Amino acid sequence: MAGRFDLPEPDAFTRTYWDAAAEGRLLIRRCRACGRAHHYPREFCPHCWSEDVAWEPASGRATLYTWSVVHRNDLPPFAERTPYIAAVVDLAEGPRMMTEVVGAAAEPPTGELSAGAELEVVFRDGIPVFRVVPGTAGG
């Protein structure tokens, strides 16, 4: 990891997820037993405990659940990114996901944010982050 705290450490199970993200695709897991989607990737369904789960593409659409503007983080490379917006979003498929909200400007787009704001996935160095959908209310 070479002193970076923002890079994933893929293992045999999560490699599929991170390889897709490096290609600009967001994947989630869906249970074939109960039909519910979940994120973060697990080898079993957190809702019914079935091990009959499969990867599927996510739409990349989400709504903002909550966020916080981070003004100080001394871990590399976060110090260079402050301020940034740590967020929790509700994916269109149902699962909730921790992420970051990014904007076109150097400053975080805090004026565009409100609970329920429409977001879309973008990828930064193979990591899924979200931005406000252009032209939407509040955005």
Side-chain angles (χ1 to χ4, degrees), residues 78-122:
F78 298 106
E80 298 87 43
R81 292 184 189 158
T82 57
Y84 64 88
I85 300 171
V88 177
V89 302
D90 289 326
L91 299 175
E93 293 77 13
R96 201 161 265 172
M97 176 180 177
M98 292 183 68
T99 187
E100 183 179 341
V101 174
V102 297
E107 292 295 315
T110 53
E112 302 174 10
L113 297 182
S114 62
E118 293 181 47
L119 307 172
E120 62 188 0
V121 72
V122 292

Side-chain angles (χ1 to χ4, degrees), residues 35-102:
R36 293 178 71 182
H38 61 272
H39 185 81
Y40 63 91
R42 300 175 193 121
E43 296 183 60
F44 61 91
C45 174
H47 306 290
C48 74
W49 298 94
S50 171
E51 293 179 3
D52 189 11
V53 291
W55 294 106
E56 74 175 42
S59 67
R61 295 293 196 165
T63 56
L64 184 61
Y65 178 72
T66 191
W67 74 97
S68 179
V69 179
V70 178
H71 293 277
R72 182 179 172 123
N73 187 336
D74 295 331
L75 297 174
F78 298 106
E80 298 87 43
R81 292 184 189 158
T82 57
Y84 64 88
I85 300 171
V88 177
V89 302
D90 289 326
L91 299 175
E93 293 77 13
R96 201 161 265 172
M97 176 180 177
M98 292 183 68
T99 187
E100 183 179 341
V101 174
V102 297

